């Protein structure tokens, strides 16, 4: 069971940091004692009244640092109110710190409005309820990154606070590498390139993301892509399809789906950013495929404890493999 923990430090007169804002300097100092917590988590604790100086609660972490004995209280993580659920998960790798799993299409990662059961988080709580990360203040199974409900493939999950913090840092500084494969309409030109735009919430359709015109209205999104194969139908070669590999430099919501649509090559089966009318020559092959043809194939990162470089890769999922087989049966000889 987690317990309340206390961490202290003494700031003496004459120290060069005196006079600087507490929320700017204290997180770095306390991280030596609590390396599993991020700067932002430490700043939040300070603003929530968990920091004292000489026994007095600091009302705002934006105040200037002064001499005295500082004590930071790390409260026990709140219990999650989600219902544990037994679910068969495709575990690719697991040790005391991380879980690497192959998520199937159709499985939602995290509970949201209107869905509190049947998610990956519910399954992780069931299997790892005693070791969940409390790094965010609530016991949760270290969801470091997400995949859309109908995107399949590799995810890494942190089993403890240290892993969560270090993996999150790799996502933040883009040292963690994610490689996707997708099927798109058309033929991206050139066959290899970089798409760099600003992505933000669509101004009128709030469930969608969109390429924005200015930095003020969106966040920088960078996708490296390479065409792996072009598929041309023997009945109509003017409407090719392509197999494309995408490497994410950033991780914006729906990034690959938005970027591929932006260059005129939307993903097959994408209900939000895809084509409204499928070319007649491919309709039979695509019948019954009702999700975006996107799969997180490879994942590379530095292991949070051993600091070794690790790489994981999985094959095409069954539904995309079957779709490719149908598409190739109609290709030019």
């Amino acid at each position: 069971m987690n317990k309340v923990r206390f961490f202290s430090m003494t700031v003496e007169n004459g120290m060069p940091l005196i006079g600087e804002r507490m929320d700017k300097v204290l997180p770095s100092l306390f991280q030596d004692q609590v390396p599993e917590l991020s700067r932002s988590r430490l700043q939040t604790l300070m603003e929530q009244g968990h920091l004292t100086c000489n026994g007095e609660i600091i009302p705002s972490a934006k105040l200037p640092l002064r001499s005295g004995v500082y004590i930071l209280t790390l409260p026990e993580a709140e219990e999650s109110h989600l219902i544990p659920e037994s679910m068969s998960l495709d575990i690719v790798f697991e040790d005391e710190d991380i879980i690497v799993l192959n998520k199937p299409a159709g499985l939602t990662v995290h509970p949201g409005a209107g869905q509190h059961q049947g998610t990956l988080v519910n399954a992780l709580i069931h299997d790892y309820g005693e070791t969940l990360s409390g790094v965010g203040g609530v016991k949760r199974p270290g969801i470091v990154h997400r995949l859309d409900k109908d995107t399949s493939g590799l995810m890494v999950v942190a089993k403890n606070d240290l892993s969560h913090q270090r993996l999150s840092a790799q996502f933040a500084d883009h040292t963690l590498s994610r490689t996707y494969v997708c099927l798109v309409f058309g033929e991206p030109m050139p066959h290899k390139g970089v798409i760099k735009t600003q992505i933000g919430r669509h101004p009128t359709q709030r469930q969608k993301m969109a390429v924005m015109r200015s930095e003020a209205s969106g966040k920088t999104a960078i996708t490296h892509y390479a065409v792996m194969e072009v598929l041309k139908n023997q009945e109509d070669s003017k409407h090719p399809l392509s197999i494309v590999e995408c490497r994410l430099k950033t991780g914006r919501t729906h990034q690959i789906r938005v970027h591929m649509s932006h260059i005129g090559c939307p993903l097959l089966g994408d209900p939000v950013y895809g084509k409204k009318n499928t070319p007649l020559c491919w309709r039979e092959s695509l019948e019954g495929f009702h999700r975006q043809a996107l799969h997180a194939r490879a994942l590379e990162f530095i292991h949070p404890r051993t600091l070794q470089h690790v790489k994981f890769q999985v094959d095409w999922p069954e539904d995309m493999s079957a779709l490719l087989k149908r598409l190739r049966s109609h290709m030019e000889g």
Side-chain angles (χ1 to χ4, degrees):
M1 178 181 294
N2 290 345
K3 295 182 179 180
V4 176
R5 293 186 288 167
F6 302 91
F7 302 91
S8 66
M9 68 173 61
T10 301
V11 175
E12 299 179 349
N13 283 319
M15 290 183 66
L17 296 178
I18 286 182
E20 299 288 332
R21 275 176 47 167
M22 293 183 190
D23 60 353
K24 298 296 184 183
V25 297
L26 285 181
S28 297
L29 298 177
F30 274 115
Q31 271 189 320
D32 291 336
Q33 301 180 56
V34 206
E36 68 269 24
L37 296 189
S38 66
R39 284 181 58 87
S40 61
R41 177 61 181 147
L42 287 167
Q43 289 170 338
T44 298
L45 288 171
M46 293 174 187
E47 286 296 342
Q48 290 176 340
H50 296 291
L51 178 69
T52 64
C53 179
N54 298 330
E56 297 181 1
I57 295 176
I58 300 298
S60 172
K62 295 181 174 62
L63 292 172
L65 186 70
R66 63 180 189 269
S67 62
V69 177
Y70 287 84
I71 296 179
L72 178 69
T73 304
L74 183 60
E76 183 177 0
E78 298 174 12
E79 293 290 339
S80 169
H81 298 295
L82 296 173
I83 300 173
E85 292 183 61
S86 177
M87 193 180 300
S88 177
L89 297 176
D90 183 2
I91 304 296
V92 176
F93 173 83
E94 180 181 357
D95 62 13
E96 63 179 336
D97 299 295
I98 62 173
I99 307 160
V100 178
L101 59 92
N102 185 14
K103 187 188 84 68
L107 177 62
T108 299
V109 171
H110 202 282
Q115 183 173 3
H116 303 287
Q117 294 179 254
T119 74
L120 175 60
V121 164
N122 295 99
L124 291 171
I125 289 174
H126 179 275
D127 293 344
Y128 306 95
E130 295 303 314
T131 60
L132 305 186
S133 167
V135 74
V138 177
K139 282 190 176 181
R140 60 184 184 179
I143 299 298
V144 182
H145 65 122
R146 301 186 187 186
L147 293 178
D148 294 337
K149 175 182 177 181
D150 290 324
T151 296
S152 56
L154 289 173
M155 290 183 60
V156 59
V157 175
K159 292 177 70 174
N160 52 58
D161 291 355
L162 178 64
S163 297
H164 196 140
Q165 193 271 335
R166 290 183 174 176
L167 288 172
S168 294
Q170 291 184 57
F171 271 96
D173 63 18
H174 312 306
T175 55
L176 186 150
S177 174
R178 289 164 290 168
T179 303
Y180 294 72
V181 284
C182 57
L183 297 170
V184 305
F185 288 103
E187 182 178 352
M189 298 297 290
H191 277 193
K192 187 175 183 180
V194 180
I195 306 169
K196 182 177 181 180
T197 70
Q198 304 297 316
I199 287 182
R201 188 69 58 182
H202 194 286
T204 58
Q205 302 176 53
R206 305 305 293 172
Q207 299 302 312
K208 293 180 63 174
M209 306 302 289
V211 169
M212 314 304 282
R213 294 183 179 180
S214 69
E215 293 185 8
S217 55
K219 295 182 179 180
T220 299
I222 303 173
T223 302
H224 295 258
Y225 76 89
V227 175
M228 302 170 64
E229 184 179 351
V230 178
L231 313 177
K232 293 188 177 181
N233 194 293
Q234 59 187 349
E235 298 177 0
D236 184 357
S237 62
K238 295 181 180 180
H239 294 92
L241 307 177
S242 299
I243 302 174
V244 181
E245 178 184 271
C246 293
R247 290 180 179 269
L248 293 182
K249 180 68 174 178
T250 57
R252 309 306 176 201
T253 302
H254 299 175
Q255 181 172 317
I256 292 175
R257 298 165 65 187
V258 172
H259 271 172
M260 289 294 105
S261 180
H262 177 65
I263 65 170
C265 297
L267 271 61
L268 275 62
D270 193 328
V272 179
Y273 307 99
K275 272 184 174 292
K276 295 186 182 300
N277 298 305
T278 302
L280 183 62
C281 60
W282 296 114
R283 287 182 187 174
E284 182 181 348
S285 298
L286 289 171
E287 187 174 348
F289 191 83
H290 299 301
R291 61 109 166 178
Q292 61 264 12
L294 180 61
H295 178 63
R297 183 176 65 179
L299 192 60
E300 298 180 58
F301 55 92
I302 303 300
H303 191 284
R305 187 177 299 274
T306 68
L307 304 183
Q308 297 296 309
H309 178 270
V310 292
K311 179 178 180 179
F312 303 94
Q313 185 166 321
V314 290
D315 293 331
W316 293 93
E318 290 185 9
D319 62 342
M320 288 182 67
S321 181
L323 174 61
L324 267 173
K325 184 176 181 179
R326 294 197 301 272
L327 294 172
R328 287 196 170 106
S329 71
H330 295 284
M331 287 177 59
E332 294 178 323

